[in-house]
Amino acid sequence: MLVRQRIAAAPAAFARGATKSFSSASSSSSSSARLFETRPSPSQLLSKQRSTFARRAYATEAPVPAPAAPKKKRFRFLRWTYRLTVLGLLGGTGYLGYSIYLLRHPAEQIEPDPSKKTLVILGSGWGSVSLLKKLDTENYNVVVISPRNFFLFTPLLPSCTTGLIEHRSIMEPIRNILRHKKATVKYYEAEATKIDYEKRLVYISDDSEIKGDVSHTVVPFDMLVVGVGAENATFGIPGVREHSCFLKEVGDAQKIRKRIMDCVETASFKDQTEEEVKRLLHMVVVGGGPTGVEFAGELQDFFEEDLRKWIPGIQDNFHVTLVEALPNILPMFSKQLIEYTESSFKEEKITIRTKTMVKNVTDKYIEAEVTKPDGTKELEKIPYGLLVWATGNAVRDVVKDLMSQIPAQKNSRRGLAVNEFLVVNGTENIWAVGDCAITNYAPTAQVASQEGAFLARLFNTMAKTEALEDELKKLSVAQQEAKNDEARNEIFAEIKERQRQLRRTKQIGPFQYSHQGSLAYIGKERAVADISWVSGNIASGGTMTYLFWRSAYLSMVFSARNRILVATDWIKAKIFGRDVSRE
Ligand code: FAD
Ligand code: NAD
């Protein structure tokens, strides 16, 4: 907003400057004209004579035309708009070029002091990467452990399921991120299988396809940040893991993309019964939270904009249904946005089945308990071709195991209970960020990234504090050994200055989340937004909100490379449509 205001203010400022310089230029030209009149040069005399002669000759043939309208004035606004646009484009290109240059040319890194503390960070998601971005890595021996060697911009993952965005466009290699840090950071592509709190050890396992002689080992830590996120909640419902697709990782999006096309092609197979065609083309999404809603919207878009065009045979049977156990979808949004989304889905022909709780999943249908308007319950079989399961988060095994080692975590069910400095309750040297930590906030990317940034500030402060305290110790020894009063006073002044710095450094308050708002895409180039504004919320939905949603996410993706790739994908899809090949 701030940037927008500045941009909006710029033309006005330029316009004011332009008027001033223009009028002063015209007044100086008129004064110079007067000067010439008093002392004309021979060539000017000649041209004046010529023009006078020409005017007289013309006057005999036709009346003298009225002086032309002041063209310059009329187009001044357009001219300045054009100049500002060119300037803006040049500036933007320069900035982009410079950021690409920086991305491609990382500086030499320093080796951190081995005597410093070892800080182990688990995970490469929103929480951990936001911590890494702001952490002064020269203060610690930093080790990152994650089975995923990239950061994933999850808000645009639903767009990858239909090929609107290619998955690589929203991935940022962790190596790129770490290579740009001041001091070297070690990275191990592995899963943390166990955290031994007492011994301060993390057990790690390389689960990639290629393994060396060592694929299991331990990493000792002085400080540990757990940012492993969460896994998909299935609530132990039979058949979910076997038959449905989740939507959390890149692999999930790729699997969904393949399955959509597989269902479509199988439904078009020779001699398929009508009932089977209907089943295959029934796309069921379970979970009316933002993940389910965004995916349903993207899928319907894919059908409307591409599938029905290239495979017209499926258009009467392709159908998207969103199943939700609660009385309404998107419970975290305001009532008017819930209603807007529901009416928009109706218009898009997406069926919403609320008060429908899935109890069992087989390979061809789901069994759901439907609550009727009179309050009675009924079990219903709903056949499907594609089933996407988006019912929220569950705690990862490694986190459950850590919780079981700490008595203070006994009553925590949904993840690691942390204090206001994100320290895991019952521990001294373990912090938790993101979806695996339980705070008063929803498990979102926004919360995870603010927590990560807070921890970076905290760790930077802790390192500075330790350095200042060390210096103070040395200074007080030096003061005692000082030879005379003058030297003693000099050291005393220095001690006072360091103490002042220490007080300032230590002034870091507890973590405070600042909610910027919630955004969700709902299909048909519409989005809903609940944006925090001064002392309240602004709820908006529609095409303008969709443009805001796009520009917000485009500005938030990790790097300039991601930004260009995502923008190119959008343009590509607009021009050529989405790719309907199966792979
Ligand atoms: P994650 O980002 O999930 O990262 C966890 C990391 O830990 C990963 O790198 C993983 O590989 C690693 N890991 C897992 N297990 C282990 C292990 N045993 N050892 C070591 N590392 C491990 N939130 C929003 O605010 N806005 C949105 O628009 C939005 N859209 C979303 C769309 C989708 C489709 C999804 C699924 C989520 C969306 N979210 C959104 C929620 C958001 O993605 C999460 O809240 C956020 O990713 C949490 O960050 P995290 O760092 O805790 O976990
Ligand atoms: P969610 O927890 O927000 O929603 C899951 C939904 O599934 C719930 O409404 C629940 O009632 C329903 N459900 C659970 N079990 C069911 C069953 N057996 N049958 C039918 N319905 C069932 O999950 P999510 O959408 O995956 O989101 C996870 C987190 O990520 C949330 O905190 C969310 O805010 C965040 N997120 C945010 C965005 C965004 O801001 N655009 C997008 C995606 C995710």
Side-chain angles (χ1 to χ4, degrees):
M1 283 311 276
L2 199 65
V3 175
R4 279 197 193 150
Q5 277 169 0
R6 280 193 193 141
I7 293 171
F14 265 94
R16 275 199 298 278
T19 322
K20 205 172 168 198
S21 63
F22 187 80
S23 55
S24 64
S26 59
S27 65
S28 69
S29 72
S30 61
S31 62
S32 58
R34 272 198 299 274
L35 239 163
F36 280 122
E37 268 168 33
T38 48
R39 275 196 294 159
S41 70
S43 63
Q44 275 171 330
L45 269 175
L46 193 65
S47 77
K48 198 178 173 192
Q49 273 171 5
R50 271 197 205 130
S51 65
T52 318
F53 176 74
R55 257 202 315 270
R56 274 189 202 138
Y58 188 74
T60 55
E61 287 162 22
V64 180
K71 257 188 194 174
K72 282 182 184 170
K73 253 189 191 169
R74 205 172 350 138
F75 296 112
R76 195 189 300 157
F77 175 74
L78 282 180
R79 219 171 31 245
W80 276 104
T81 311
Y82 169 77
R83 282 175 196 165
L84 281 176
T85 313
V86 171
L87 257 173
L89 281 176
L90 282 176
T93 314
Y95 176 73
L96 195 68
Y98 182 63
S99 41
I100 291 172
Y101 176 84
L102 289 183
L103 212 67
R104 302 266 294 143
H105 298 87
E108 284 293 310
Q109 288 180 298
I110 55 167
E111 281 304 317
D113 179 354
S115 68
K116 290 198 165 158
K117 285 183 178 163
T118 301
L119 166 63
V120 173
I121 300 170
L122 302 183
S124 51
W126 279 95
S128 305
V129 164
S130 144
L131 157 63
L132 280 162
K133 251 167 96 176
K134 297 224 159 75
L135 182 73
D136 288 342
T137 50
E138 66 273 29
N139 294 328
Y140 301 97
N141 287 294
V142 186
V143 180
V144 178
I145 298 163
S146 176
R148 199 173 78 188
N149 79 343
F150 56 88
F151 166 76
L152 179 66
F153 188 80
T154 46
L156 290 177
L157 192 61
S159 303
C160 297
T161 59
T162 59
L164 178 68
I165 289 180
E166 291 301 331
H167 60 271
R168 284 197 178 270
S169 307
I170 55 166
M171 288 159 58
E172 185 67 21
I174 193 79
R175 295 288 183 181
N176 286 9
I177 300 168
L178 301 183
R179 187 60 188 82
H180 281 91
K181 297 308 296 179
K182 202 167 167 194
T184 321
V185 175
K186 285 202 181 81
Y187 169 68
Y188 302 130
E189 191 193 71
E191 194 177 312
T193 49
K194 183 179 175 63
I195 298 161
D196 190 329
Y197 170 56
E198 286 299 327
K199 293 187 185 148
R200 298 189 179 193
L201 292 176
V202 180
Y203 289 75
I204 63 168
S205 159
D206 173 6
D207 284 342
S208 63
E209 273 177 34
I210 309 240
K211 291 190 179 58
D213 288 342
V214 180
S215 59
H216 294 77
T217 186
V218 289
V219 180
F221 65 85
D222 298 307
M223 296 157 71
L224 175 71
V225 176
V226 187
V228 297
E231 60 174 52
N232 298 289
T234 63
F235 308 102
I237 296 169
V240 175
R241 289 213 180 273
E242 295 84 341
H243 305 299
S244 57
C245 300
F246 296 115
L247 184 50
K248 209 174 215 350
E249 299 290 342
V250 162
D252 299 332
Q254 285 172 305
K255 189 171 157 187
I256 292 174
R257 189 171 173 181
K258 262 190 202 175
R259 283 227 182 151
I260 298 169
M261 288 321 299
D262 206 356
C263 284
V264 167
E265 295 300 356
T266 310
S268 316
F269 195 73
K270 190 170 177 291
D271 299 337
Q272 207 70 268
T273 63
E274 203 180 323
E275 194 187 355
E276 188 63 348
V277 169
K278 274 197 162 58
R279 177 186 74 80
L280 286 163
L281 295 177
H282 190 200
M283 312 279 142
V284 175
V285 186
V286 181
T291 305
V293 166
E294 290 192 326
F295 170 67
E298 292 279 358
L299 183 53
Q300 188 66 23
D301 282 359
F302 184 28
F303 169 65
E304 291 295 343
E305 291 165 20
D306 299 285
L307 286 174
R308 70 182 315 155
K309 198 182 306 166
W310 304 120
I311 314 153
I314 65 163
Q315 58 181 327
D316 293 335
N317 293 310
F318 191 96
H319 194 79
V320 180
T321 300
L322 182 63
V323 177
E324 167 57 50
L326 297 176
N328 56 265
I329 58 169
L330 289 180
M332 69 289 297
F333 282 84
S334 55
K335 195 165 172 277
Q336 66 206 92
L337 290 183
I338 293 173
E339 279 165 11
Y340 177 76
T341 307
E342 285 174 352
S343 73
S344 184
F345 267 24
K346 203 168 174 189
E347 203 184 299
E348 290 168 50
K349 297 190 183 72
I350 298 172
T351 303
I352 302 177
R353 301 278 311 258
T354 50
K355 296 187 185 173
T356 306
M357 183 181 280
V358 179
K359 296 276 186 179
N360 185 36
V361 175
T362 73
D363 61 342
K364 294 197 172 159
Y365 59 84
I366 54 172
E367 275 181 297
E369 188 182 78
V370 185
T371 308
K372 301 267 165 201
D374 62 4
T376 56
K377 290 183 173 159
E378 192 180 272
L379 211 58
E380 191 184 334
K381 281 184 186 169
I382 305 171
Y384 70 86
L386 170 80
L387 177 65
V388 173
W389 193 266
T391 61
N393 294 341
V395 186
R396 286 197 193 277
D397 285 346
V398 65
V399 174
K400 276 189 205 156
D401 180 72
L402 176 63
M403 286 160 67
S404 70
Q405 297 169 44
I406 305 162
Q409 297 286 330
K410 204 176 68 199
N411 296 326
S412 184
R413 293 278 167 273
R414 291 175 298 123
L416 290 161
V418 293
N419 72 10
E420 70 273 33
F421 287 89
L422 306 180
V423 178
V424 173
N425 288 345
T427 73
E428 268 177 13
N429 46 0
I430 304 185
W431 289 261
V433 285
D435 287 2
C436 65
I438 299 305
T439 53
N440 293 330
Y441 317 110
T444 64
Q446 225 182 123
V447 172
S449 69
Q450 288 186 30
E451 287 175 344
F454 168 80
L455 275 197
R457 253 192 344 268
L458 185 76
F459 293 165
N460 294 343
T461 305
M462 279 163 62
K464 252 191 230 161
T465 308
E466 270 178 38
L468 282 170
E469 280 170 350
D470 278 354
E471 254 185 83
L472 274 170
K473 269 185 210 153
K474 283 181 196 152
L475 283 170
S476 71
V477 173
Q479 196 190 22
Q480 280 161 17
E481 290 168 359
K483 285 187 190 109
N484 51 36
D485 272 0
E486 196 187 333
R488 203 166 297 123
N489 286 344
E490 229 170 75
I491 297 173
F492 183 64
E494 220 169 303
I495 288 178
K496 269 177 57 183
E497 173 59 19
R498 292 288 173 277
Q499 279 173 337
R500 201 180 53 78
Q501 283 175 354
L502 191 63
R503 272 198 302 278
R504 226 180 27 211
T505 311
K506 275 185 167 170
Q507 269 172 6
I508 182 159
F511 171 69
Q512 270 178 339
Y513 171 63
S514 138
H515 186 62
Q516 306 296 306
S518 306
L519 276 169
Y521 181 63
I522 59 168
K524 215 177 174 191
E525 305 202 335
R526 291 171 188 164
V528 286
D530 255 332
I531 304 291
S532 309
W533 190 257
V534 198
S535 57
N537 253 26
I538 296 181
S540 78
T543 306
M544 287 311 286
T545 315
Y546 158 75
L547 293 176
F548 173 70
W549 173 86
R550 274 206 165 182
S551 53
Y553 284 162
L554 198 61
S555 69
M556 277 183 226
V557 288
F558 192 87
S559 61
R561 188 186 69 93
N562 290 149
R563 210 156 290 134
I564 293 169
L565 292 178
V566 168
T568 313
D569 287 344
W570 280 336
I571 295 166
K572 240 166 49 187
K574 203 80 198 155
I575 298 172
F576 301 109
R578 298 169 187 81
D579 186 345
V580 294
S581 8
R582 187 153 79 95
E583 288 309 309

